[in-house]
Amino acid sequence: MQHTFASKDGPLEVTLARNGEAYVLEGHELILHNRGRLHVRLRDGRQCLAHAAKVGDVWWIHLDGRTYRWERIEPGSSNADDEGGLVAPMPGKVLEVLVSEGDTVEAGTPLMVLEAMKMEHRIVASDDGTVTSIHFAAGDQVAQGAVLLELE
Amino acid sequence: MGIKVLVANRGEIACRILRACNEAGHPTVAVCAPNDIGTLFTEMADEVVPLEGETIGETYLNQDQIIQAALSTGATAIHPGFGFLSERADFARAVKSAGLVWIGPSAEAIEKMGDKMTARQTMRAAGVPVIPGEEVEEEDEVAALEALREASTRVGYPLLLKASSGGGGKGMRAVHDPAGFDQAATGARREAVAAFGDGRIYIERLLSGSKHIEIQVLADTHGRTIHLGERECSVQRRHQKVFEEAPGPTMEPGLREAMGQAAVAAAEAVDYVGAGTVEFLLAPSGEFFFLEMNTRIQVEHPVTELVTGVDIVREQLRIANGEPMSCGPLMIRGHAIEVRLYAEDAANGFLPSIGPLSMFRPPEGPGIRLDTGVREGDEVTPNYDPMLAKLIVWAPSRDEALQKMRRALDEFVVLGTTTNIEFLRDLCDAGPVVDGSTTTTTIDDLWPNGWNPPAAPMLEEASLLAAASAETLGLHRRTTAGSSEGSTGPASPFTTIQRRFP
């Protein structure tokens, strides 16, 4: 019962232990109740109900007022990093491109203005670098996740 | 003999209005865009007319199509809800000339209040105090920027740029020093042109440390105009309200009466009919200034309903039907709080999010009201406003209302789409919210570098246990995620009992 999940510090290996009916991790225990309800007993003795739903590869977990997302990495799949690509956070329209290819920018420099849901959103440089390519022009519609421009 | 009501809106507010009509016995018609077919509100109407077109302009903003839908179904009245066509004087006029009842104030009243610059002038004339500032009527882009720049030096910094046709924070910019003025003004104009087709901008002095207090008014066609007390809606992010309450936590009866009378004077100045809201800024000095009047039902109307016992939408229907309103003398009882649940990532600049509502389990119990237009299994799309629901609680005191809201938010399960629930929950513990000293800059003051969820390492570990266990157990294969038909409801005796009746 080993699973790998993505985390901000890289892949996270999780090995579940068993204690009778319960699954155990780091001293926390979980028992499945009927209709998909998960009963959790925390290491400190607190008990709560967890709700779980999977969307794509991501498990959404609600626990004691908090919602967590854990993306499961299928064994054997490679998780390509987005190397300097700046992606559209949501579908929308490009209002303005504020830089040109070849421009040197500092982290935080506004690069593009998107409009979505009637509000303007600025796309800013995540790091210092040079704009190597721009994939959209003002007026273009972009899908969520589309690579807008690339920095190196 | 009553009216037959077409609701020219969608989502949560369409549900609210359709339910009120059902209660009052008025037959109903819904209109819906192709991407709204099968959503909750369409199931609450007696008849549904599909609108043709893809964009909002071709559907919910298409006056001809909506009026045709009313005429073809025999509807006799149109309720516009909020947003969309609700504050369009030309639509109010078109509805009337088609021989239909407009559930709202006259086109003239909408015009006088809807154009924010005209409203400021009308209020000055009626003796209602307005925020110091200047209106710039110039239409030409270059000339307007020049005139605005000049006016800005007279108004002084910090200042607010606002679209004359604005609302909902669109076309609005705060400017703290002259260096940022040109960029802000250009952005505000562009957003205003895109959202309203009108780039005229006015300037107001930014009164920091102020509270946003608004007064609900009702006026019928029998000569009666009343107010239903205040709501405080100071807590805003990106100029949009997220946390609203009634009564105002610092309100005194004398000030309530003064603001109520000013609101009634504002409504009477434009011969107002129906439900409306007069918004004020309450400065730390105790002075209050007219901000604008919303000539429609408002998102946060439920908190007033819970503390006054008045069903505002029901009164709108009564007034539109030509009856006198049924409200007695104003009585305020207990405390109500509303939070707006948005599909947005509060930890990432409140960016709107999309996705399936794989699980949507609202809280329940005494004193809890949920106004929503979605249910489990629906998809959150970028097509419309990202507000999913309004969660409203009532309790005898403000402290108890806050306690109830905390409990309700902890119980609220939404999986599959990122929401602001944890942000709202954190807000309920914030000092200014707890002691009632909130102002319009509270969110920025509390989290100047953006909000992040408070760390809870133990819960995070346990959530990883839950994810790994759910995967091992194959929970995603047992129930269809994203479907409301699963095994979530109570077992039906017709499917579980193997019994034959003679």
Side-chain angles (χ1 to χ4, degrees):
Chain A
M1 277 176 295
Q2 198 172 37
H3 300 287
T4 310
F5 292 95
S7 81
K8 57 182 185 296
D9 307 319
L12 193 61
E13 298 271 335
V14 180
T15 307
L16 294 180
R18 290 304 293 262
N19 177 14
E21 275 185 88
Y23 292 96
V24 184
L25 181 71
E26 307 279 346
H28 309 297
E29 294 196 353
L30 177 145
I31 292 174
L32 174 70
H33 283 195
N34 56 354
R35 293 210 195 99
R37 287 207 295 266
L38 302 168
H39 186 247
V40 176
R41 184 198 299 270
L42 298 178
R43 194 164 56 225
D44 64 4
R46 269 188 294 160
Q47 301 191 41
C48 47
L49 205 60
H51 292 80
K54 196 177 186 187
V55 180
D57 291 330
V58 179
W59 274 105
W60 292 69
I61 305 294
H62 182 272
L63 192 63
D64 200 24
R66 298 301 194 98
T67 303
Y68 297 94
R69 302 171 40 157
W70 293 105
E71 184 187 353
R72 183 166 178 261
I73 301 173
E74 291 288 335
S77 79
S78 75
N79 230 23
D81 270 351
D82 48 343
E83 293 248 336
L86 287 145
V87 300
M90 70 189 97
K93 189 172 92 178
V94 178
L95 284 186
E96 211 176 334
V97 181
L98 304 167
V99 290
S100 313
E101 284 181 18
D103 282 5
T104 311
V105 296
E106 290 172 13
T109 307
L111 305 173
M112 222 179 239
V113 184
L114 285 191
E115 184 201 62
M117 296 174 173
K118 293 269 164 67
M119 300 287 285
E120 291 189 7
H121 303 279
R122 268 165 203 281
I123 305 297
V124 299
S126 44
D127 279 304
D128 297 353
T130 308
V131 180
T132 53
S133 48
I134 298 174
H135 299 299
F136 294 95
D140 289 351
Q141 291 287 339
V142 296
Q144 183 174 31
V147 178
L148 299 171
L149 26 74
E150 284 170 55
L151 284 187
E152 210 171 80
Chain B
M1 43 142 256
I3 46 181
K4 174 171 175 176
V5 181
L6 180 141
V7 179
N9 214 301
R10 61 176 302 281
E12 171 270 321
I13 191 62
C15 294
R16 167 74 183 93
I17 297 162
L18 289 165
R19 283 184 166 128
C21 292
N22 291 343
E23 288 163 16
H26 298 301
T28 54
V29 180
V31 288
C32 90
N35 53 20
D36 264 338
I37 287 172
T39 58
L40 186 60
F41 78 94
T42 64
E43 294 177 350
M44 290 183 183
D46 298 323
E47 292 168 69
V48 182
V49 178
L51 295 172
E52 285 168 25
E54 287 183 6
T55 63
I56 294 176
E58 290 162 354
T59 53
Y60 296 111
L61 292 177
N62 186 332
Q63 306 190 7
D64 292 341
Q65 225 189 139
I66 290 168
I67 290 174
Q68 273 313 313
L71 296 175
S72 69
T73 52
T76 57
I78 292 186
H79 195 310
F82 49 64
F84 294 128
L85 294 168
S86 61
E87 291 180 287
R88 291 282 295 272
D90 52 343
F91 186 54
R93 214 167 260 134
V95 168
K96 277 194 182 160
S97 44
L100 304 167
V101 175
W102 168 250
I103 304 183
S106 70
E108 292 70 33
I110 298 175
E111 259 160 6
K112 282 188 189 146
M113 288 300 186
D115 187 71
K116 309 300 177 203
M117 304 208 298
T118 312
R120 284 169 56 85
Q121 287 150 3
T122 312
M123 288 307 102
R124 272 196 208 106
V128 178
V130 301
I131 299 173
E134 279 192 38
E135 296 88 44
V136 172
E137 289 285 356
E138 206 68 59
E139 300 263 2
D140 174 70
E141 165 113 34
V142 176
L145 283 178
E146 185 54 40
L148 284 166
R149 210 177 292 126
E150 273 177 33
S152 73
T153 60
R154 288 188 293 270
V155 176
Y157 288 84
L159 54 81
L160 264 183
L161 295 168
K162 288 185 171 179
S164 192
S165 301
K170 287 159 195 163
M172 193 190 306
R173 292 284 189 286
V175 193
H176 294 273
D177 62 83
F181 186 84
D182 284 10
Q183 202 195 9
T186 313
R189 272 189 62 93
R190 180 173 50 207
E191 213 169 271
V193 170
F196 317 110
D198 171 10
R200 287 176 310 134
I201 300 288
Y202 64 100
I203 305 182
E204 275 179 1
R205 190 178 302 156
L206 200 160
L207 298 168
S208 50
S210 300
K211 282 178 169 295
H212 176 115
I213 305 276
E214 57 187 36
I215 306 282
Q216 176 73 52
V217 295
L218 275 178
D220 62 21
T221 53
H222 296 257
R224 188 164 171 232
T225 301
I226 62 165
H227 73 87
L228 294 177
E230 78 285 357
R231 295 185 282 263
E232 171 160 356
C233 318
S234 298
V235 186
Q236 308 181 1
R237 58 111 187 81
R238 291 158 67 130
H239 303 295
Q240 281 183 328
K241 302 161 186 168
V242 292
F243 180 103
E244 297 121 331
E245 60 187 308
T250 58
M251 185 56 69
E252 301 290 339
L255 182 60
R256 173 178 298 134
E257 203 38 43
M259 293 183 78
Q261 285 317 314
V264 167
E268 287 177 337
V270 295
D271 296 319
Y272 200 84
V273 171
T277 299
V278 185
E279 299 189 335
F280 295 98
L281 269 190
L282 178 61
S285 61
E287 290 172 288
F288 60 87
F289 302 99
F290 171 84
L291 259 183
E292 59 181 55
M293 180 167 188
N294 292 310
T295 53
R296 50 167 167 82
I297 189 75
Q298 208 152 2
V299 178
E300 59 273 25
H301 74 275
V303 290
T304 298
E305 295 188 323
L306 293 185
V307 297
T308 60
V310 174
D311 183 334
I312 297 170
V313 177
R314 191 75 189 265
E315 294 299 336
Q316 284 188 300
L317 297 173
R318 221 169 247 131
I319 292 165
N321 219 10
E323 299 164 39
M325 64 177 107
S326 73
C327 316
L330 177 64
M331 291 225 304
I332 293 173
R333 188 173 151 267
H335 201 94
I337 300 174
E338 171 181 288
V339 294
R340 299 191 192 183
L341 243 81
Y342 284 101
E344 67 181 16
D345 189 353
N348 189 9
F350 301 102
L351 212 59
S353 54
I354 56 173
L357 295 173
S358 304
M359 201 176 272
F360 186 82
R361 308 270 165 90
E364 291 173 1
I368 290 182
R369 165 173 169 181
L370 186 82
D371 282 22
T372 184
V374 300
R375 64 297 216 223
E376 195 164 287
D378 285 356
E379 190 82 24
V380 180
T381 70
N383 300 328
Y384 300 104
D385 187 272
M387 191 175 80
L388 295 178
K390 305 181 308 205
L391 175 63
I392 311 114
V393 301
W394 180 92
S397 69
R398 187 172 188 273
D399 280 351
E400 289 160 296
L402 261 180
Q403 288 164 355
K404 194 181 285 286
M405 183 58 86
R406 292 189 190 106
R407 191 271 292 173
L409 285 167
D410 280 342
E411 267 185 28
F412 210 136
V413 182
V414 181
L415 300 181
T417 300
T418 304
T419 72
N420 64 343
I421 290 179
E422 284 173 60
F423 169 75
L424 296 170
R425 175 63 185 80
D426 207 19
L427 197 58
C428 292
D429 285 336
V433 172
V434 172
D435 67 23
S437 63
T438 42
T439 71
T440 52
T441 56
T442 288
I443 288 181
D444 293 335
D445 297 344
L446 285 168
W447 298 287
N449 302 312
W451 176 85
N452 273 299
M458 187 104 65
L459 284 176
E460 191 170 349
E461 269 177 20
S463 75
L464 190 56
L465 164 67
S469 308
E471 182 70 37
T472 299
L473 290 160
L475 283 191
H476 48 302
R477 287 186 289 271
R478 290 195 194 190
T479 54
T480 5
S483 145
S484 50
E485 288 110 73
S487 53
T488 53
S492 159
F494 300 102
T495 55
T496 55
I497 300 175
Q498 297 290 317
R499 190 163 50 178
R500 281 168 181 266
F501 295 94

